[in-house]
Amino acid sequence: MADEKKSEDFMMRLARFIVDKRKALYLVFLAAVVFCAASVNKVSVNNDITAYLPADTETRRGLTLMEQEFTTLGSGQFLLTNITYDNAQQLVDTIEQVSGVSSVEFDDTNAHYIGSSALLTVTFDGEADDPVALDAMDKVKAIVEPYDVYIYSEVGLDMSAQLQSEMGIILVIAAIVIVIVLLFTSKSYMEVPVYIIVFAVAAVLNMGTNYWFGEVSFITNSVAVVLQLALAIDYAIIFCHRYMEERETKPAREADIAALSKAIIEISSSSLTTISGMIALMLMQFRIGFDMGAVMSKGIICSMLTVFLLMPGLLMLFSGGIERTRHANLVPRISFVGKTVVKLRYILPPIFLVAIVAGIFFSGKCAYCFSENVIDTNNPPAQRIALDRISETFGNQNTIAMLVPRGDYEKEGAILQQISALPQIKRAQGLANTEAEGHMLTDKLKPRQFAELAGVDIELARLLYQAYGLKHEEYGAIFQDTDDYEIPLIDCFQFLCEQKDMGVIKLEGEQADMVNDLQEQLDVGLPQLQGEHWSRLVFTADVPEESEETFELLDQMRAIAAQYYGDDVLLVGNSTNARDLSESFSGDNLKISVLTALFVMVILLFTFKSAGLPVLLVLTIQGSIWINFSFPYLTDTNLFFLSYLVVSSIQMGATIDYAIVITNRYMELKEWMSPHEAVVETLNQSFPTILTSGSIMTVSGFLIGAISTNPSISSLGLALGRGTLTSIFLVMTVLPQLLLLGDTLIARTAITLNIDRRQRFSGGIMHVDGHIRGHVSGFVDGEIRGLIRGDINAMIESKQPVTEDPADPHSHTEEDSSK
């Protein structure tokens, strides 16, 4: 026994260690699961997709400045249908009395009332996540509940919680489908509990360690578990199938060790293609790719470690039950499919090539979209339904903010006036066109005018102007003729309030009340429009969030502002966000496509030691990607850009495994079968594996697409399900035909390595310690240690020199020509 262990390779020793130390590993995983389960709630989920924009994009820079310098009060649009104007006005009066409501915009113009529909714009006293705004929103909802109402607002909108609820439903349905598939494709019913435990532990480990990244996006947080399950299910299946094969001839412990020693290498190699796709995703300029790629790569590693370290112990723990619940193979042989594939070998490949060309053309015409509010979806959320109804009745309500350097009110007024004149602009708001007591806030007033407006004595106003002049050098001439000097109303009033708060100026009675009222109004409005270094101008445009017309309008607005501020202007909004994303998309698209294909090609090159074979495999999967993304154009729908980037990466990185399964089987079987027979048998043997893994990923994708009300998540799921189904079809039909027709290419591009190899042994007794592949009175492909007696025609890769028994006169060998 000691000599046997001494002669074992590293993988056998490692597998033996893992199996023998399984009880200790149980405790390690139990502690890790408890820790990670407690850490799940520590994960911070970011619901703002713009947070992942590169820091140098206009939208990200503008949003950062707005967060630092401005207050953005929460608001909501309430569309009431089948209501009279008088009833709508009564509702407005009621809503204005609600604590936490700052204002309600409503009048009898077409901007707020058309036919029997009323549009109320409610502004709250706090930002969207402020408890004051949340409480007020609940009260307003209760007031309008009896009416036919559609509400569009970010106040009280928790996308993360909504997605988690939906993904919980998806996960339950997916789990039921997975159990049914596993019961159907397994060899023993007790395999299924092992699979479930492994999946659950791997998922908890991944979710519980996400807090390492600080925060994760709502997209990643929502789909990570389902994608991890779909992507990594192969690992547990490969190992379990190996174990069941070894169990035919070995006791449970030895079968476990032997299966693990082989599965570690096989699973590690298989995972490389998937991880390579995730790495390509992490290199996106749009950092949500890094977010998703990092979490999914970690999930794949968690799944691998769980399969390598926990699953061997579980197989030992359940070994008795596995043996007692063995059942007949329920997966039918599909020889008829294989025979049909062989018969159509000269028909389908040309059709496939035509489909590839068409796929390249049609996918190139795919209408990509970059704003969630314009994604075509069959299951829109309530928010989207409300927005669409509002746009249909009152036109688009596209909000665009412009940031300009603070201080020059004349320039701001000129910009507001010129942009307001554009036909697409419905409303413009800034300090320069905000009215107060018959004047604009930026109007320059003389002391007497200010005294009348603010309700203060003229003498006090003069003293105030003089004090202002002392503080601001540019007003030095004020001491010559105070009554003729002019100061912008907003600046003068702010200075008055500042002096009052400092106790320099004392006001009483009506003067104090009037100034306090004006100060309260400014305290609400001013932080929204004026920051420490920047002023904000807000425009509402009747254009979609994303269209050529919209982007042309942005250019016009920028050109107008550039006349006064040059390049020192920032535009911010959903439309600018869409534009920034569209500009980074082409670069990210090319980068992901090239890097993913390159990574996979290199991995396949070393796996199959052939330059031609990886080309056939990648062509098949890339063809399925082109075909998949032709569907949006053919069905006249758009596609969320992130769905394309993520799914194309996953489809290449993960479903290439199906092609590897087919190729490996075919290359082995054709050594002792005719190529036609090898194709038929390859599909028979590969069908259970591809059925199990492929059906789970396909079902998971379609479930996400059908159930999720988040347009971006739904779009991703639909593309993933459709792409996986396309890949399965092609690897089960076209790929075997390409392998059959490309034998010459594969052989001529094979890379021959100079290894210690001998072949064509015949008639004798040989000492072998290594890999043998060929005929030994029947086909053999496996690791063998010991003596072989009989007729042999095989390729041997031996750890020790292959020797013949000198006592046997029939022993004879021929050297490999490559040696």
Side-chain angles (χ1 to χ4, degrees), residues 648-660:
S648 61
S649 179
I650 291 176
Q651 198 173 341
M652 175 62 78
T655 61
I656 195 74
D657 284 348
Y658 307 152
I660 293 174

Side-chain angles (χ1 to χ4, degrees), residues 422-631:
L422 296 175
Q424 303 95 326
I425 300 298
K426 301 169 66 173
R427 179 184 176 192
Q429 183 178 9
L431 289 178
N433 67 350
T434 299
E435 188 176 350
E437 301 296 329
H439 294 276
M440 297 302 172
L441 286 177
T442 58
D443 285 350
K444 291 184 177 181
L445 303 182
K446 295 178 180 180
R448 185 171 297 280
Q449 291 173 305
F450 179 76
E452 292 174 356
L453 184 145
V456 298
D457 293 335
I458 181 63
E459 294 301 324
L460 179 61
R462 289 174 179 148
L463 289 172
L464 184 70
Y465 270 55
Q466 289 176 353
Y468 190 96
L470 286 172
K471 186 173 181 181
H472 299 81
E473 292 181 6
E474 65 270 27
Y475 291 103
I478 196 171
F479 299 105
Q480 298 175 4
D481 191 352
T482 306
D483 286 343
D484 291 335
Y485 210 82
E486 296 178 333
I487 302 176
L489 169 59
I490 182 69
D491 291 346
C492 192
F493 189 79
Q494 284 182 290
F495 187 70
L496 170 63
C497 294
E498 179 185 325
Q499 298 302 307
K500 179 177 70 72
D501 293 340
M502 292 171 59
V504 176
I505 294 177
K506 293 183 179 180
L507 301 174
E508 297 178 352
E510 292 183 2
Q511 290 184 344
D513 293 340
M514 182 174 290
V515 170
N516 288 336
D517 288 342
L518 289 173
Q519 185 174 6
E520 286 179 8
Q521 294 177 36
L522 282 181
D523 286 344
V524 173
L526 197 60
Q528 300 182 67
L529 298 174
Q530 189 177 70
E532 183 179 357
H533 304 103
W534 295 82
S535 290
R536 179 162 64 175
L537 315 178
V538 183
F539 304 92
T540 303
D542 187 9
V543 291
E545 287 189 3
E546 184 182 329
S547 70
E548 289 300 322
E549 180 189 7
T550 304
F551 296 154
E552 288 175 5
L553 175 63
L554 294 178
D555 290 337
Q556 287 180 287
M557 295 172 65
R558 186 186 305 282
I560 292 172
Q563 298 174 16
Y564 303 95
Y565 293 101
D567 294 332
D568 212 4
V569 176
L570 293 173
L571 295 176
V572 188
N574 289 342
S575 293
T576 62
N577 179 38
R579 192 172 199 174
D580 286 339
L581 291 174
S582 67
E583 290 174 354
S584 68
F585 171 67
S586 57
D588 284 337
N589 181 19
L590 180 63
K591 184 187 300 181
I592 287 179
S593 299
V594 171
L595 289 178
T596 304
L598 183 62
F599 290 156
V600 172
M601 288 279 285
V602 170
I603 293 168
L604 295 177
L605 181 65
F606 283 96
T607 301
F608 293 107
K609 300 180 178 65
S610 169
L613 196 52
V615 174
L616 296 179
L617 270 61
V618 171
L619 179 65
T620 304
I621 300 301
Q622 185 60 56
S624 71
I625 293 173
W626 284 322
I627 293 171
N628 180 23
F629 292 108
S630 297
F631 278 88

